[in-house]
Amino acid sequence: LYEMVEQFIQAVGRGVMKLLILDRGFLDGEAIGRCHSEHHVEVLIPLKKNMDLYADALGLAQSPQTRWHDLPTPAPAKTSAPADRPEPVARRELKRRKTLQDRRPAPPPPPRRSVFGIHRLTTWTSCPVPLNVVVNREVEASGEQRFWALATTRQWDHPGTITELYGL
């Protein structure tokens, strides 16, 4: 992948690719540093739970002084009948969906989501540039908490913007 990034930048020049959103399979500190410092491409990537950087960020996030920022609950997906159907068929489809929805048990409420951001961590020794980490916390109605973290070379005003970008 990183060779493809370099080929792309050689073909179109710097400044065209602004942000590279990756999955954990592309964790490579040296390549992330090269993307940021040589190619001026920001990188956004989730961390693996067995990484020292993840452990450090989670430790900081669980401090009593931590100030978590709540994220809005995502709106449920709206269901609408396909527009290319005749009106009677569309009405019948909406009625069918409502009947099915009424028969299903109510889904559990969505988890409460919050984020905590940490700037300029250098725990990942193979990455030559400091990384900013956003720790995401999801709290289920049962009280169970799940944590996951995103590392990025990008700066932010609110750590929730990084989580929203990763949602793309």
Side-chain angles (χ1 to χ4, degrees):
L1 171 80
Y2 292 107
E3 289 175 15
M4 290 173 39
V5 169
E6 290 183 15
Q7 290 171 358
F8 178 85
I9 290 170
Q10 286 175 357
V12 300
R14 286 186 181 160
V16 175
M17 182 185 298
K18 308 252 187 253
L19 175 66
L20 185 60
I21 301 174
L22 302 171
D23 70 8
R24 293 181 304 199
F26 297 102
L27 279 166
D28 181 344
E30 292 175 12
I32 290 170
R34 196 169 43 257
C35 281
H36 180 70
S37 50
E38 291 178 23
H39 305 309
H40 306 288
V41 174
E42 303 289 352
V43 177
L44 172 58
I45 191 164
L47 296 175
K48 291 182 178 179
K49 293 188 179 193
N50 65 353
M51 294 178 71
D52 290 340
L53 184 61
Y54 176 86
D56 289 348
L58 190 61
L60 290 169
Q62 292 177 335
S63 165
Q65 294 88 5
T66 299
R67 189 168 149 245
W68 289 90
H69 299 276
D70 291 331
L71 295 179
T73 304
K78 245 188 160 181
T79 59
S80 60
D84 61 343
R85 305 261 166 85
E87 183 62 31
V89 173
R91 278 196 316 265
R92 190 169 54 235
E93 173 63 14
L94 286 174
K95 186 176 178 182
R96 183 190 73 81
R97 289 181 186 181
K98 183 175 180 343
T99 301
L100 288 174
Q101 181 181 359
D102 292 345
R103 289 181 183 169
R104 288 187 188 123
R112 288 178 298 142
R113 304 177 321 142
S114 54
V115 292
F116 172 66
I118 309 156
H119 289 279
R120 305 191 55 79
L121 289 176
T122 57
T123 306
W124 193 4
T125 55
S126 69
C127 186
V129 296
L131 294 171
N132 305 310
V133 177
V134 176
V135 179
N136 294 267
R137 176 178 66 182
E138 297 175 353
V139 181
E140 297 291 337
S142 64
E144 177 187 352
Q145 295 185 34
R146 281 191 314 271
F147 294 94
W148 54 285
L150 297 167
T152 183
T153 55
R154 180 175 267 197
Q155 298 296 321
W156 67 74
D157 291 330
H158 186 281
T161 58
I162 300 300
T163 301
E164 288 173 18
L165 277 174
Y166 186 69
L168 295 174

